[in-house]
Amino acid sequence: MSGLTVKQVRRRFLLLHGLRWLPSGLIIPVLILLMQERGLTLPQMGLVFTAQGILVLALELPTGGLADALGRKPVLATAWIINLISLGLFVVADSVALFLAVWALQGIHRALDSGPLESWYVDATLAADPEAKYESGLGFAGTVIGVAISAGALLSGGLIALGPVGPFSALTVPVVAATAMQVVALVVLLALMVEVRPARGAAALRASVRNAPRMVGQAFGLLRRSRVLLALVAVELFWGFGMVTFESLLPVRLAEVVGDADRAAALLGPANSAAWLVSAAGAALTPLLLRWPGAAPGAALLRILQGLTVVGMGLFAGPVGVLVAFLACYAVHGASNPLHTGLLHRQVDGPYRTSVISLNSMMGQPAGALGGVVLTALAAATSISTAMLVGAAVLAVAAPLYLPAWREARRRPEPAPSAAELSPVG
């Protein structure tokens, strides 16, 4: 397929994976605070975030078929070009309409970016050696995500601490840096991702578009036939809604406690860096959780525990308490993802596996968009703490949805999880 060895494929995959997530780490700490600095209210932020969720929901499954039909490299390169345009627009955006455009472009990027790099890695590895074991590389990718986002968040805090640079405010500087890093990532992608494309031209594009409805229908058909699978995918709805509390509301809550947005942003840099490292540590507990209490009961308990950590973020009075609860939340988050993904994998096999996993991922997008609208509006009408408590309740109330998987596991022994299922990716 590419003439590369297994080791070369893995090195390129992990390097590209790190470059893909480093810009995200740079902007996560300043995302909400920069939009506030530019004059957006919390309800307006919730509105613009819906653009990403809607577009990812509409495009995730069809773009997977597009990557298979046209090749992973052109689809991934297109995704990263769109991300570059979005970041560039984020640097100068100063109105609801421009931020709506930023997040619409992010939605297109997320849909196109979902899957092609991992698919290229597996195909290129098997082309180099049909007997090669690629699961460990996929597991290492989870570590790379945590390290890349952690490093980006730490760098973001340092850039903010340096203060304004030229025409750019302190909160804007990390976005400028993320834009520059995205240029580097795109150049490296074009140089290192070697692929023999399966098809070219308009015919392949038309074939992919024709197959998209069938893929969606097959994925939904599996949900109709399996009560366990339907319950597991439904968890993502509650999860996506509740994640707004620690992804979007936490920066505002910290600024409220600290009393200064720039100081809160400077604290969020190292805090986000530590959070992703703690998330990786949480994922490392997966083998222990699988032995006791088991995948389904462990996932259910973690949903409740994550709700409690969000309660801590909403109620603790000082910045230390809020940040400790934030770190605990990410530790639980890191432990939850592999358990949930492993349960999904046990319910599907064959050609529908990717479709169902994509469908599960898609459910989080509209739920997150709805959470963004509802919780930010609630925060504006009442308080940040009240909105966080509501989000915490939504996270915890998903726990009973793991009961069908638990009952099924008690009827038949669970297979030993693979390395891919245990990796903290997602």
Side-chain angles (χ1 to χ4, degrees):
M1 179 181 184
S2 63
L4 301 174
T5 67
V6 171
K7 288 184 178 179
Q8 287 174 324
V9 171
R10 177 180 293 188
R11 288 194 202 103
R12 294 185 183 202
F13 168 61
L14 295 178
L15 175 60
L16 290 170
H17 216 61
L19 290 173
R20 182 261 178 265
W21 287 102
L22 186 57
S24 298
L26 280 162
I27 66 171
I28 285 172
V30 301
L31 189 63
I32 300 298
L33 299 176
L34 179 58
M35 295 171 75
Q36 279 189 317
E37 182 180 77
R38 301 279 176 85
L40 268 66
T41 64
L42 287 175
Q44 286 173 332
M45 291 181 209
L47 175 65
V48 301
F49 289 152
T50 61
Q52 174 177 291
I54 291 170
L55 284 167
V56 172
L57 179 65
L59 298 176
E60 174 123 17
L61 284 175
T63 52
L66 184 64
D68 288 335
L70 294 180
R72 282 64 185 261
K73 184 174 182 176
V75 171
L76 195 59
T78 302
W80 289 15
I81 290 170
I82 291 173
N83 190 41
L84 176 60
I85 296 170
S86 173
L87 290 171
L89 186 58
F90 196 12
V91 171
V92 299
D94 58 0
S95 67
V96 173
L98 286 177
F99 279 113
L100 192 64
V102 168
W103 291 103
L105 289 170
Q106 279 294 310
I108 298 171
H109 159 248
R110 287 281 298 275
L112 289 168
D113 182 74
S114 178
L117 183 56
E118 290 80 1
S119 298
W120 170 81
Y121 164 67
V122 172
D123 286 346
T125 298
L126 293 176
D129 179 2
E131 302 299 322
K133 303 297 183 183
Y134 53 79
E135 290 85 358
S136 60
L138 294 174
F140 286 140
T143 302
V144 169
I145 290 175
V147 172
I149 294 180
S150 176
L154 190 61
L155 178 58
S156 181
L159 292 172
I160 294 166
L162 290 176
V165 176
F168 304 115
S169 70
L171 294 177
T172 306
V173 173
V175 184
V176 176
T179 306
M181 282 305 308
Q182 186 61 43
V183 173
V184 173
L186 181 60
V187 171
V188 174
L189 170 70
L190 296 175
L192 296 187
M193 193 172 185
V194 182
E195 178 187 39
V196 177
R197 292 169 57 184
R200 298 173 183 270
L205 178 60
R206 287 195 297 270
S208 176
V209 172
R210 285 196 301 269
N211 285 333
R214 181 172 59 84
M215 293 171 59
V216 175
Q218 288 170 345
F220 277 101
L222 285 175
L223 293 186
R224 289 195 300 269
R225 293 192 295 273
S226 172
R227 188 174 61 133
V228 175
L229 191 58
L230 180 62
L232 290 173
V233 171
V235 171
E236 196 73 18
L237 295 172
F238 293 86
W239 205 345
F241 186 100
M243 280 171 61
V244 173
T245 55
F246 56 90
E247 288 191 338
S248 299
L249 295 183
L250 183 277
V252 185
R253 170 65 177 154
L254 187 60
E256 178 182 77
V257 172
V258 171
D260 179 76
D262 282 352
R263 187 181 165 208
L267 288 173
L268 278 172
N272 273 286
S273 177
W276 283 99
L277 294 177
V278 167
S279 176
L285 298 175
T286 301
L288 296 176
L289 293 170
L290 288 172
R291 285 195 291 270
W292 188 91
L301 289 173
L302 288 170
R303 294 274 58 75
I304 297 171
L305 183 57
Q306 189 167 40
L308 291 175
T309 64
V310 173
V311 169
M313 284 188 278
L315 294 183
F316 288 149
V320 174
V322 171
L323 289 175
V324 168
F326 174 63
L327 294 178
C329 181
Y330 263 81
V332 174
H333 194 63
S336 300
N337 279 330
L339 293 181
H340 183 78
T341 303
L343 288 167
L344 281 171
H345 276 296
R346 293 185 192 109
Q347 297 302 315
V348 293
D349 56 14
Y352 308 120
R353 183 184 299 276
T354 302
S355 296
V356 171
I357 299 304
S358 294
L359 182 59
N360 176 76
S361 176
M362 286 167 52
M363 291 299 100
Q365 296 299 323
L370 178 62
V373 172
V374 172
L375 294 180
T376 53
L378 182 61
T382 57
S383 68
I384 297 293
S385 294
T386 300
M388 297 188 89
L389 292 177
V390 171
V394 172
L395 284 168
V397 82
L401 291 170
Y402 287 107
L403 286 175
W406 183 41
R407 294 192 190 103
E408 183 183 68
R410 294 178 68 185
R411 287 195 299 268
R412 57 183 176 84
E414 294 182 3
S418 67
E421 290 171 345
L422 295 179
S423 63
V425 178

